[in-house]
Amino acid sequence: MKANLGYLYLLSPLHTGGTSQEGNIVGIAREVHTDLPYLPSSTIRGRLRAATSDNLRNNLWGNTLEDVTNGGDENLTQGKLWVGDAFILWFPVPSLSHGVVWITSPFLLRRWLRLVNPTWESDRQLTVPSVGSFSGGNKKNLYLKDAIFDKTNLQEWKKDNWQKYIPGGNEETKTISNVLIISDEDCQVLIQSSLWRQVKIKLDEKKSVDGGFRYEEAIPPETVMFFPWGKNTIVNGTSQQLIESFKNNVLKQENCWQFGGQESLGRGFVELWSN
């Protein structure tokens, strides 16, 4: 599959509304097959569309029902660009022994590599590193959250190698220093246990606790996510001018973007860029 890649570096917790609420936990959007958090493509597309200038908006994203009902257009039209869901690539986990460690798994890396690897140049293809590859080496045990990784199960991952798996093009990713490849099962457990959770307490008219409370989940800051995007099949030819127009007139217009809910609480602020 050939597509352009967009990247998100979370500057604050990202809350994307989910359809589930178990007990007093307000959930976030999750993938059906993995139960991992993600950012729906509709959220990304809507925000990008809103940031597009009037003279380009309908051309890139298509018109709206309102355009038709107000008499501006006769029919709904399809935009020239498509946007996919954003998935987790690197997830930060606190460590008692190494500060903050960004983790990923073979599964998370593999679906990123589907879009990154240039199939026409096999010598440049990246492969999935073995489980236990750690930039901090294997001189001491690694403590992540409630998990302990024995140093005998770790192997040194040299800097000139692991940096190839960190998306470039943004200064924020240069803060990533400790990275670890763990199994898919361990990765899922650590991600679920390391989600940002904030307590919301219900108050009465006198601002006293009314007895109700809930936890709201969010993807933590410093997480790295990616999403594919490209031109629709209705666009003939390579349309490189269309791609460059989107990059220069939309993506580069803002340094800091906001996605999801709770903007007034500072949630959902990210760095967004495309390679």
Side-chain angles (χ1 to χ4, degrees):
M1 178 180 180
K2 186 176 181 181
N4 299 284
L5 277 177
Y7 293 100
L8 305 173
Y9 189 97
L10 273 57
L11 303 176
S12 64
L14 173 63
H15 177 84
T16 54
T19 57
S20 65
Q21 181 169 346
E22 300 179 1
N24 61 344
I25 297 180
V26 179
I28 53 180
R30 294 176 180 271
E31 302 174 36
V32 175
H33 61 305
T34 67
D35 202 38
L36 291 173
Y38 79 108
L39 181 60
S41 59
S42 57
T43 301
I44 303 173
R45 185 183 184 278
R47 182 64 183 85
L48 293 176
R49 191 181 197 281
T52 305
S53 59
D54 294 340
N55 62 319
L56 288 174
R57 185 174 298 135
N58 287 358
N59 183 38
L60 294 181
W61 307 110
N63 60 3
T64 64
L65 187 60
E66 184 179 1
D67 294 329
V68 177
T69 55
N70 290 339
D73 299 315
E74 293 184 0
N75 298 299
L76 290 173
T77 57
Q78 183 180 2
K80 294 183 178 179
L81 294 178
W82 63 269
V83 174
D85 298 326
F87 305 113
I88 292 173
L89 179 58
W90 291 100
F91 190 91
V93 176
S95 168
L96 292 175
S97 58
H98 293 78
V100 178
V101 176
W102 280 262
I103 64 170
T104 191
S105 72
F107 173 77
L108 298 180
L109 278 179
R110 194 174 294 113
R111 61 182 179 183
W112 174 65
L113 291 176
R114 291 192 196 115
L115 303 171
V116 169
N117 275 332
T119 55
W120 61 93
E121 293 181 0
S122 58
D123 60 321
R124 288 178 51 195
Q125 285 191 347
L126 298 175
T127 58
V128 177
S130 59
V131 172
S133 299
F134 181 44
S135 61
N138 55 1
K139 298 232 171 121
K140 61 180 180 178
N141 294 342
L142 170 62
Y143 297 86
L144 284 182
K145 204 71 176 174
D146 297 326
I148 302 176
F149 293 85
D150 192 277
K151 61 183 180 181
T152 58
N153 296 322
L154 302 174
Q155 53 189 348
E156 185 177 3
W157 198 6
K158 296 188 180 299
K159 186 174 183 179
D160 58 352
N161 193 330
W162 65 258
Q163 283 191 330
K164 298 176 183 178
Y165 295 81
I166 306 298
N170 189 278
E171 290 296 316
E172 295 296 337
T173 59
K174 294 181 180 180
T175 63
I176 298 176
S177 56
N178 291 319
V179 294
L180 171 69
I181 308 293
I182 59 179
S183 68
D184 296 330
E185 296 80 9
D186 289 342
C187 189
Q188 185 168 21
V189 170
L190 281 173
I191 287 178
Q192 301 296 4
S193 63
S194 301
L195 289 175
W196 185 287
R197 290 183 175 90
Q198 182 181 27
V199 180
K200 296 284 187 177
I201 301 175
K202 183 180 178 182
L203 302 177
D204 59 20
E205 295 179 355
K206 297 180 180 180
K207 305 301 181 184
S208 299
V209 178
D210 196 22
F213 70 95
R214 69 181 187 273
Y215 292 92
E216 290 187 352
E217 291 183 327
I219 305 173
E222 318 306 327
T223 301
V224 180
M225 307 180 74
F226 72 95
F227 65 92
W229 66 274
K231 59 185 180 65
N232 281 318
T233 55
I234 62 172
V235 181
N236 296 321
T238 58
S239 299
Q240 187 61 31
Q241 184 178 359
L242 174 69
I243 301 297
E244 294 303 322
S245 176
F246 172 62
K247 287 183 177 180
N248 296 326
N249 295 294
V250 181
L251 293 183
K252 292 184 179 179
Q253 292 306 306
E254 300 184 34
N255 293 325
C256 183
W257 297 69
Q258 196 279 331
F259 292 95
Q262 303 179 347
E263 179 178 3
S264 61
L265 299 178
R267 303 288 186 261
F269 288 96
V270 308
E271 290 276 351
L272 185 153
W273 74 100
S274 180
N275 283 350

